[in-house]
Amino acid sequence: MGSSSSSYTPKSIYLDVDGKVQKVVFSRHCSPCDIKELLCSSSNIPRNTAIMMVDPEGALVSIDPTMPTNSPSSLYKVVPLSTGQLGEKEDMFQNVLSQVAEQFSKAFRINELKTEVTNRLAMLEKRVELEGLKVVEIEKCKNDLKKLRDEMTSRAGGRVNCPCRYNFSDDGKKLTPRRDVPSYPKYTLSQETIEALKKPTFDVWHWEHNEMLSCLEYMYHDLGLVKEFNMNPITLKRWLLAIQENYRNNPFHNFRHCFCVSQMMYGMIHLCNLQEKLTLTDLGVLMTAAVCHDLDHPGYNNTYQINARTELAVRYNDISPLENHHCAVAFQILSLPECNIFANVEPEAYKQIRQAIITLILATDMARHGEILDSFKHKVDNFDFTNEEHVTCLKMVLIKCCDISNEVRPTEVAEPWVDCLLEEYFMQSDREKSEGLPVAPFMDREKVTKPTAQIGFIKFVLIPMFETVMKLFPQIEEIMVQPLRDSRDHYEELKQIDDAMTETQV
């Protein structure tokens, strides 16, 4: 089982300073001397004063990076040692030493250097960890991609056999449900995992498919959806298994992406207290649309479908071919009695649920981004949760946020997804070049880099959308919007480095 915790999370302790709570945050790289200076500063005590720290019972607490953390309800107190305690000679020596240290610090900017070195070290260590995390999943993606290319090569030439030309009869075997109890093992989720599932910081790279299936199953039970729709728990298992089997092994649009979007939706439901604002039917629609939103994605986007005049584009008249296809596959699975999680819902209620899920999946077509966001902007200042049109628009924006939310996650979780997406883009642009079709610059391996791919998308798509949602749910700023701003800054710094290296090479 994976863990979303990071060894680089700063440590926090809470002090009682003149009857007020003072939070102190420090890195595990700090020395005891650094921490003592920080405690003096926080407690309004002159720097380099000899101090001790006590807990609420008066017991001494060691002052070093391994000190136990406390909470605002159990405050530590910093107490300066008196001259009598130190001894007159020791006090004099301490004062002289303090003055010398202060002069050295001013002359050589020791504290600034310490901070810079610590920050650089933390950044380097984080990069090493990130590269280690990426390599496993990227190798898996490369192997899947190699298999896909070998399969394409083995088929007859021409566009007719392109893997993105889905045929219901060809892949019908994938939709055959398991009539027995699904074979994936039942995992008992730890309390740590249950809490982590509710947060955008959840590390989606540490989980196998069976574990992700169990997490999705838990979400449906936890939100009360199994009870609300009177679902047969075994049917829920079969449905989830059929869902997983109908996501292809694309570098990006695969079952792990489906899980990411669904977990982010589950997190937003908790973060925004949507259980108190929306109905259980609304929550069921949000979760089910998230799970189904990219079913049987072929790895080639709508632009390719339309330009190549594929069967999907012809079938759906160039109007959101992929999103219409995802909906069709979703309801083909639900049409199987063994997989119909809504089997016990009244026909009229099911009709409304079906229409609501279709509306949300179709909203994930980025060609409609401006239209949907503008509609929400006009409603957000006077939003009415009793207005059905307002709520539908909110749900459309929520699934859009979750669908493209990778950069909300920590860098070590988000950045590997950029590699996966670029790999899928390059696969498409290579095919477009070979077939004489137009190639988008942001998909061309000869023109795009990670920073150039991400900066514009974060600045002009992600941040404006999440900041609009923040007007309705201010609590997302710290947990979702600020990480986006940090990610923008991160990629802008990388671009500056790339530009400087390019100039040097010229």
Side-chain angles (χ1 to χ4, degrees):
M1 301 288 283
S3 169
S4 63
S5 64
S6 169
S7 60
Y8 301 102
T9 304
K11 179 172 282 191
S12 302
I13 61 169
Y14 298 86
L15 303 178
D16 175 359
V17 180
D18 299 328
K20 295 181 181 178
V21 178
Q22 173 68 50
K23 183 178 179 181
V24 178
V25 181
F26 57 89
S27 163
R28 69 180 180 82
H29 301 291
C30 288
S31 68
C33 289
D34 292 332
I35 296 173
K36 285 179 181 177
E37 284 192 16
L38 188 58
L39 292 175
C40 285
S41 247
S42 303
S43 303
N44 302 320
I45 296 172
R47 287 177 60 197
N48 301 315
T49 300
I51 58 171
M52 65 180 180
M53 190 162 64
V54 295
D55 67 14
E57 279 108 37
L60 286 172
V61 179
S62 64
I63 301 177
D64 60 64
T66 64
M67 74 174 74
T69 56
N70 62 337
S71 68
S73 62
S74 177
L75 301 174
Y76 292 158
K77 192 170 184 68
V78 177
V79 181
L81 294 173
S82 66
T83 306
Q85 289 171 299
L86 284 171
E88 188 175 341
K89 290 183 180 179
E90 189 176 349
D91 190 25
M92 186 181 301
F93 176 75
Q94 189 70 30
N95 287 336
V96 172
L97 193 61
S98 297
Q99 290 174 18
V100 172
E102 192 168 347
Q103 292 301 320
F104 265 98
S105 181
K106 285 179 180 176
F108 297 104
R109 301 177 64 194
I110 289 171
N111 288 333
E112 289 88 342
L113 286 171
K114 264 192 207 170
T115 303
E116 185 177 350
V117 170
T118 300
N119 290 341
R120 286 180 180 273
L121 180 61
M123 197 191 264
L124 284 171
E125 288 179 335
K126 203 164 189 178
R127 293 290 298 178
V128 170
E129 183 188 45
L130 169 61
E131 294 303 321
L133 283 170
K134 284 196 297 185
V135 71
V136 175
E137 281 303 323
I138 290 173
E139 281 305 312
K140 285 183 184 176
C141 289
K142 284 181 179 177
N143 289 335
D144 289 338
L145 189 58
K146 184 177 183 301
K147 288 178 187 175
L148 181 62
R149 283 175 174 156
D150 290 344
E151 183 185 345
M152 288 165 58
T153 305
S154 67
R155 295 180 179 185
R159 205 179 284 140
V160 174
N161 291 313
C162 169
C164 62
R165 288 176 170 270
Y166 179 87
N167 186 312
F168 280 101
S169 60
D170 287 348
D171 284 344
K173 63 181 184 299
K174 294 169 73 177
L175 298 177
T176 303
R178 297 172 183 239
R179 296 179 185 276
D180 58 339
V181 178
S183 60
Y184 71 86
K186 171 68 176 175
Y187 292 92
T188 302
L189 304 183
S190 68
Q191 193 58 41
E192 181 185 6
T193 298
I194 287 171
E195 290 306 311
L197 271 175
K198 299 174 184 176
K199 300 172 184 175
T201 50
F202 187 82
D203 192 337
V204 295
W205 292 107
H206 287 174
W207 305 80
E208 299 297 331
H209 280 189
N210 289 340
E211 295 171 317
M212 290 188 279
L213 287 167
S214 285
C215 288
L216 290 171
E217 187 182 347
Y218 169 81
M219 293 174 200
Y220 270 74
H221 281 279
D222 179 59
L223 291 172
L225 304 181
V226 174
K227 185 177 179 181
E228 173 68 13
F229 298 110
N230 193 19
M231 294 179 190
N232 181 329
I234 301 302
T235 303
L236 175 62
K237 286 176 178 285
R238 288 198 192 97
W239 175 70
L240 286 170
L241 201 61
I243 291 292
Q244 184 230 310
E245 290 173 343
N246 280 276
Y247 273 91
R248 300 195 191 188
N249 289 326
N250 299 314
F252 184 91
H253 289 102
N254 50 39
F255 179 64
R256 192 176 300 276
H257 168 67
C258 151
F259 177 74
C260 273
V261 176
S262 305
Q263 185 268 322
M264 187 65 73
M265 181 66 77
Y266 178 71
M268 288 197 81
I269 287 171
H270 283 283
L271 181 61
C272 301
N273 298 317
L274 294 182
Q275 299 102 317
E276 298 174 8
K277 304 180 190 306
L278 302 180
T279 66
L280 277 171
T281 297
D282 287 328
L283 300 187
V285 166
L286 283 168
M287 287 300 301
T288 306
V291 169
C292 298
H293 83 285
D294 269 335
L295 272 168
D296 197 55
H297 194 297
Y300 299 84
N301 69 13
N302 279 331
T303 301
Y304 175 83
Q305 306 297 324
I306 294 166
N307 289 340
R309 301 175 187 174
T310 65
E311 181 184 337
L312 284 181
V314 172
R315 177 182 297 152
Y316 295 112
N317 304 308
D318 295 350
I319 301 170
S320 303
L322 289 180
E323 290 71 26
N324 274 295
H325 178 57
H326 305 324
C327 289
V329 176
F331 285 100
Q332 191 180 17
I333 294 172
L334 283 169
S335 72
L336 301 167
E338 297 86 349
C339 296
N340 187 3
I341 56 174
F342 299 116
N344 296 320
V345 173
E346 292 295 323
E348 189 56 37
Y350 176 74
K351 184 178 178 182
Q352 293 176 2
I353 289 170
R354 169 175 156 79
Q355 188 53 59
I357 290 172
I358 291 171
T359 297
L360 295 200
I361 294 177
L362 293 181
T364 61
D365 183 356
M366 285 303 293
R368 297 182 57 203
H369 177 79
E371 159 212 336
I372 293 169
L373 187 56
D374 285 345
S375 176
F376 184 65
K377 283 179 177 177
H378 286 117
K379 297 174 176 62
V380 71
D381 290 331
N382 298 293
F383 196 86
D384 181 2
F385 280 97
T386 64
N387 184 314
E388 186 178 344
E389 185 184 344
H390 284 211
V391 170
T392 298
C393 190
L394 170 63
K395 289 189 292 186
M396 293 165 75
V397 171
L398 286 174
I399 196 168
K400 284 175 59 57
C401 285
C402 295
D403 188 24
I404 54 177
S405 62
N406 284 329
E407 291 300 332
V408 169
R409 300 182 185 275
T411 303
E412 63 269 23
V413 180
E415 196 162 348
W417 280 115
V418 184
D419 294 304
C420 294
L421 185 60
L422 289 177
E423 185 65 36
E424 198 167 293
Y425 280 174
F426 296 157
M427 185 173 72
Q428 175 173 320
S429 60
D430 290 347
R431 187 173 191 86
E432 286 169 333
K433 290 174 185 178
S434 71
E435 294 180 356
L437 298 173
V439 177
F442 70 89
M443 289 182 139
D444 192 333
R445 67 172 74 245
E446 296 171 7
K447 296 179 181 177
V448 72
T449 64
K450 280 207 291 192
T452 58
Q454 292 301 95
I455 292 170
F457 186 66
I458 295 170
K459 285 174 69 172
F460 302 116
V461 177
L462 289 177
I463 291 178
M465 180 166 66
F466 276 85
E467 285 184 338
T468 305
V469 174
M470 187 177 75
K471 291 183 179 179
L472 195 58
F473 303 110
Q475 60 267 44
I476 75 167
E477 179 169 20
E478 181 183 353
I479 299 176
M480 304 187 87
V481 179
Q482 190 55 47
L484 287 176
R485 295 168 181 157
D486 294 340
S487 181
R488 172 200 59 199
D489 297 342
H490 167 67
Y491 281 110
E492 285 182 336
E493 286 175 10
L494 289 182
K495 186 175 184 302
Q496 288 175 1
I497 293 170
D498 287 351
D499 291 346
M501 290 177 67
T502 303
E503 287 178 14
T504 305
Q505 292 168 0
V506 173

